[in-house]
Structure formats: structure tokens, C-alpha cells
């Protein structure tokens, strides 16, 4: 998930002080006067961020603080150290450090006893690094490398982790492996009496990639496995999954396909619902258009290709972020879209509000974008006014002809041998200044 390139000038991730957010419905901000979206700009005083559009992750801590992590650039613009910044609920820095880790972070999440986990790694030859930071100052308490792919994690009650990193692995509180299984996984959530992992495996005899769901227990035993896909694509990517109140699942899938046998061809994003047993319920495709400036005025560009990045449950609503770009028109329009869905998966609204998303107070979300030495952090409310704009046209339409299968108790998985290595990582102070106010257009 770290290979795509990004030039800052290509972005139409418009962060304007005077635009209004489109859409309606949903929880967290319903009737009355719309909440005012807010923004803050964090500036690195002696560094700059690495230019890669997927660079950076964000999480909200139980007490209301926010932690950001993004890769820094050296003097020539190549990847350098990892920055980790902790902010209070008013977006003021508590501490900021740089760590001698030179891979794009894939997740930052709260750990036990106010600690913070940072996950990073390399797709080739395949490595996942887990850093546990002290919550008080960002110092590195423990650092471990596993022979897995970059991925994400779920913190367990015992302080250990379920690592969704291509295959699935459980580690204890000391980050020592307990077991690793051939369960396709890039996301994992608690679900009822067990857990569900979501991955992007090859299904139907290896003919296409898609959403793979696996229900399993804490000791790695599998209850069921399912697969659904809109069809072949150059690269499907999962934004994430959530468990709905009725036990069903909602999954966001980035789609990048021109093929006629893909029912979501030329659509950047697919939203898919499964019932509590993993059976496919429905699939919808994004339809997005954006005004693009031309030499004679402007035109409407369809956003046709994309990839998924994050999913945030917020009460009954679900927020998902993904990249969408125009591709075929040759205009190289690439946007960072944040879409909101209701409890039944119905589309509510979309806006340009950053690629990396975490839950905020009062039904809001925190998200951010990077440019040079600056990080623009947004707090966006349902129906919120100011700071962000919406696509010219945004909708999600049902699609038919999906491919799917479901397996029950006959599912078997194999053990995976994972090489583990302890690392030494050092955190040093990083100078950051902040300013409030929406970014200029």
C-alpha cells in the first residue's frame, strides 16, 4: 500500500475557508445549526514530510488526545525518519519526536497503560515493525520486526495484538508471537464471540481479487470464510470493515479497473455489506465527478480509479476515506475523499477532508493532509459548515453480478513460521509549531 506516487500540484483535495459541505442525513450532527468544521496547521520547524500521498496515519486516544505519525524527508526529498506527534483535544502538541525508522507507517493505535503502538514496514521483501512508545514523552519502549507484510492491528484485553499483515498473527504483551495462521488479513475487528479478519485474497480459483472475510477465535480456529468481488482489477485495496449493531459487516473496497467483467469498472470505490455469517447482502459503487479547470474555463471530470484507506465507525454512521482519480481524461486529477454512510449502508455525503481518519468528539472525525513542512489537521462534523468542499456530484449506486462464495466449518488453515527480530529505535525531540484556521484555497 505504499507504491503509488503523488505530486502535490495534482491534488484537488480542496481545503477552502468558504466552501460548504454537501449531503445530509445521518447521526452525530442532525438538525439545528450545522457545526463549524475546524482546522489547524502544524508546521515542522526544521524538517519536512516525505511526498507520498498515502504517507501518514492518525488515531484518537481514549482521553481525547490525537496521535499522528508520518514519514519525514531528507534534504533530497527521499524518505528519512518517522515523525510521531501527540496533540491534546484542542490540537495543541503535547510532544513530538522523530524516530530512526524509515518506512511509511501503516497504523498508529492506543496501547495499554497510555502507550502508543506505531506499525510500519516494507512490502518487499516483506517486513512489519511494531514500535511501542511511552505515552508521556514518545520514547521507544520496545521495537520488534516480523517477517510479514505491512499491516494493521487490534489491541487485545491482555495487552497483546492481533496483527493483520498479509497473514494473521497473535502476539502477547511483550510482542512475542503466540500463533500465526494462513488467514488473509489487512484489517481485523472483534465480532461477537470472536474476531473477523478482512483481506484481499485471490478467489474463485485465483481468477480475481476481492474481499475475503474470516471469522475466527482467539486461539486461531476458523468458524467460516467468505469472499466477494466486483470482478478483476489492477489493485483492490481495503479501507476497513466494521461490525454493525445487528452483527452484520460493512466493508469498503478501493477499485481500480477498466475491465468489462468488473461490475464496478471505472468506479474508484465499492461499499459491500455482509450478513453476520459472511454472506453477501449488497454491493454499491461510487459515482463521483469534480469540476476541473481548463484553458477555456472548466469541465466535469469523472473520478474513475481509486484505492481505499481508512474506515471509522461513528455511532450509527460510518466514515470511509479513499483516493479517487480521473485517469482516462489525462488531467491527472487525484482527490482525497471522505464519505459518510448511514446505519443501513446508505450514502449520506462526501467531501474532500483528508485521507487518514480517526474518530473525534460529538460525531466528528479528525483527518489530515500533508504538504512540505506542513500538516493540515481537520475536524469535520456531519453536515458541518466551512473548511471543506464536496465533489460536484457524489452518489453510490447498487451493482449486480458480483462474485461470491461462503465456506463453513470445513475451512482449514495452516500455521505460518514468522521470523522475529528485536530492534533498537531511538526517539529524539522534533520541533513543531501550530496555527488555527482553515487552509487557503
Amino acid at each position: 500500500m505504499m507504491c503509488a506516487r503523488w505530486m502535490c500540484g495534482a491534488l484537488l483535495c480542496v481545503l477552502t475557508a468558504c466552501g460548504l459541505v454537501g449531503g445530509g442525513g445521518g447521526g452525530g450532527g442532525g438538525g439545528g445549526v450545522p457545526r463549524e468544521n475546524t482546522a489547524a496547521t502544524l508546521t515542522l520547524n526544521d524538517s519536512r514530510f516525505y511526498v507520498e500521498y498515502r504517507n501518514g496515519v492518525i488515531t484518537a486516544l481514549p482521553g481525547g488526545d490525537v496521535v499522528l505519525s508520518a514519514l519525514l524527508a531528507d534534504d533530497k526529498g527521499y524518505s528519512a525518519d518517522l515523525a510521531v506527534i501527540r496533540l491534546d483535544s484542542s490540537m495543541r502538541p503535547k510532544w513530538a519526536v522523530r524516530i530512526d525508522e524509515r518506512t511509511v507507517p501503516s497504523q498508529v493505535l492506543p496501547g495499554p497503560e497510555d502507550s502508543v503502538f506505531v506499525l510500519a514496514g516494507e512490502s518487499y521483501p516483506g517486513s512489519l515493525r511494531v514500535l511501542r512508545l511511552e505515552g508521556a514523552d514518545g520514547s521507544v519502549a520496545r521495537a520488534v520486526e516480523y517477517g510479514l507484510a505491512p499491516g494493521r492491528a487490534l489491541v487485545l484485553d491482555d495487552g497483546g495484538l492481533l496483527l493483520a499483515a498479509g497473514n494473521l498473527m497473535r502476539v502477547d504483551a511483550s510482542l512475542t508471537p503466540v500463533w500465526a495462521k494462513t488467514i488473509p488479513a489487512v484489517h481485523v475487528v472483534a465480532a461477537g464471540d470472536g474476531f473477523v479478519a478482512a483481506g484481499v485474497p485471490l478467489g474463485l480459483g485465483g481468477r480475481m481479487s476481492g474481499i475475503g472475510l474470516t471469522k475466527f477465535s482467539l486461539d486461531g480456529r476458523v468458524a467460516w470464510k467468505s469472499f466477494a468481488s466486483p470482478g478483476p482489477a489492477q489493485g483492490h485495496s481495503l479501507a476497513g470493515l466494521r461490525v454493525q449493531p445487528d452483527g452484520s459487516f460493512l466493508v469498503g473496497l478501493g477499485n481500480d479497473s477498466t475491465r468489462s467483467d468488473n461490475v464496478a469498472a471505472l468506479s474508484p470505490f465499492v461499499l459491500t455489506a455482509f450478513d453476520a455469517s459472511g454472506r453477501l447482502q449488497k454491493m454499491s459503487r461510487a459515482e463521483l465527478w469534480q469540476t476541473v479547470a481548463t484553458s477555456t474555463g472548466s469541465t466535469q471530470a469523472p473520478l474513475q480509479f481509486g484505492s481505499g484507506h481508512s474506515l471509522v465507525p461513528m455511532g450509527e454512521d460510518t466514515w470511509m476515506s479513499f483516493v479517487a482519480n480521473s485517469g482516462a481524461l489525462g488531467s491527472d486529477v487525484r482527490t482525497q475523499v471522505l464519505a459518510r454512510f448511514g446505519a443501513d449502508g446508505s450514502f449520506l455525503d462526501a467531501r474532500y477532508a483528508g485521507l487518514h481518519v480517526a474518530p473525534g468528539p460529538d460525531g466528528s472525525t479528525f483527518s489530515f493532509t500533508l504538504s512540505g513542512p506542513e500538516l493540515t489537521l481537520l475536524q469535520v462534523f456531519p453536515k458541518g459548515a466551512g473548511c471543506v468542499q464536496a465533489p460536484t456530484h457524489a452518489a453510490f449506486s447498487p451493482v449486480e453480478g458480483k462474485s461470491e462464495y461462503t465456506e463453513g466449518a470445513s475451512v482449514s488453515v495452516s500455521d505460518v513460521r514468522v521470523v522475529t527480530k528485536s530492534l533498537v529505535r531511538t526517539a529524539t525531540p522534533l520541533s513543531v509549531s501550530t496555527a488555527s484556521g482553515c487552509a487557503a484555497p
Side-chain angles (χ1 to χ4, degrees):
M1 73 185 267
M2 305 171 198
C3 298
R5 300 299 193 269
W6 172 59
M7 293 301 294
C8 294
L11 276 179
L12 280 186
C13 181
V14 187
L15 303 170
T16 61
C18 54
L20 296 179
V21 176
V33 178
R35 295 289 300 269
E36 190 73 17
N37 301 321
T38 59
T41 300
L42 279 69
T43 302
L44 303 178
N45 296 326
D46 52 8
S47 305
R48 56 177 170 156
F49 292 106
Y50 177 55
V51 178
E52 213 283 348
Y53 80 96
R54 304 184 202 200
N55 179 23
V57 285
I58 182 173
T59 194
L61 302 182
D65 287 1
V66 175
V67 178
L68 307 157
S69 181
L71 197 62
L72 301 174
D74 62 17
D75 292 340
K76 296 182 179 180
Y78 298 112
S79 58
D81 296 337
L82 192 66
V84 185
I85 303 168
R86 180 169 182 169
L87 311 167
D88 64 20
S89 57
S90 300
M91 301 186 186
R92 293 186 297 264
K94 283 189 169 181
W95 49 256
V97 296
R98 64 186 303 155
I99 300 171
D100 51 344
E101 170 58 49
R102 293 175 174 80
T103 53
V104 175
S106 57
Q107 190 182 18
V108 57
L109 68 162
E113 301 176 352
D114 197 39
S115 64
V116 175
F117 287 111
V118 179
L119 277 62
E122 299 167 306
S123 297
Y124 184 83
S127 64
L128 172 66
R129 300 182 187 100
V130 178
L131 281 61
R132 178 172 171 169
L133 310 185
E134 299 289 358
D137 58 7
S139 58
V140 181
R142 182 95 164 94
V144 178
E145 179 181 273
Y146 307 103
L148 296 168
R152 301 192 180 191
L154 175 69
V155 180
L156 299 173
D157 292 340
D158 64 2
L161 299 170
L162 284 172
L163 296 171
N167 290 312
L168 187 72
M169 183 167 74
R170 178 185 172 187
V171 299
D172 63 20
S174 66
L175 303 183
T176 300
V178 177
W179 53 255
K181 306 285 186 180
T182 54
I183 297 175
V186 292
H187 294 271
V188 60
V189 296
D193 58 351
F195 304 86
V196 167
V200 191
L202 288 173
L204 301 177
R207 296 194 301 273
M208 65 181 68
S209 65
I211 300 167
L213 296 185
T214 305
K215 176 73 178 289
F216 66 97
S217 62
L218 191 58
D219 59 4
R221 290 179 294 176
V222 172
W224 53 255
K225 183 167 71 172
S226 68
F227 175 86
S229 174
Q234 296 175 0
H236 288 131
S237 54
L238 278 177
L241 78 156
R242 74 166 294 181
V243 183
Q244 301 283 60
D246 63 357
S248 62
F249 303 95
L250 198 62
V251 185
L253 182 73
N255 183 58
D256 187 0
S257 179
T258 60
R259 294 181 52 152
S260 60
D261 51 352
N262 183 307
V263 294
L266 299 179
S267 179
F269 194 76
V270 174
L271 182 69
T272 305
F274 298 83
D275 68 16
S277 298
R279 290 185 293 266
L280 178 66
Q281 292 182 309
K282 63 180 179 180
M283 183 180 290
S284 302
R285 57 177 290 169
E287 298 176 359
L288 302 170
W289 292 72
Q290 173 59 41
T291 300
V292 178
T294 67
S295 59
T296 58
S298 64
T299 188
Q300 297 295 305
L303 302 175
Q304 299 172 318
F305 307 94
S307 56
H309 288 276
S310 58
L311 180 150
V312 175
M314 181 56 68
E316 293 186 349
D317 289 355
T318 301
W319 301 72
M320 297 187 193
S321 70
F322 55 98
V323 167
N325 58 77
S326 60
L329 292 184
S331 55
D332 196 24
V333 175
R334 182 170 290 159
T335 69
Q336 298 176 355
V337 179
L338 176 62
R340 184 169 63 100
F341 302 88
D344 60 353
S346 60
F347 170 70
L348 299 177
D349 53 50
R351 68 287 305 276
Y352 304 127
L355 190 60
H356 316 282
V357 184
D362 302 322
S364 68
T365 63
F366 289 115
S367 64
F368 70 90
T369 58
L370 302 174
S371 178
E374 294 184 345
L375 180 152
T376 300
L377 178 64
L378 292 164
Q379 184 178 11
V380 178
F381 292 89
K383 300 183 182 179
C387 287
V388 296
Q389 287 185 338
T392 306
H393 168 79
F396 275 71
S397 303
V399 294
E400 302 298 334
K402 294 81 64 178
S403 301
E404 61 171 312
Y405 68 78
T406 303
E407 299 177 62
S410 61
V411 176
S412 62
V413 296
S414 302
D415 292 334
V416 177
R417 180 179 179 272
V418 178
V419 177
T420 304
K421 180 172 63 175
S422 294
L423 303 174
V424 176
R425 293 290 185 266
T426 303
T428 56
L430 183 68
S431 178
V432 177
S433 58
T434 62
S436 300
C438 296

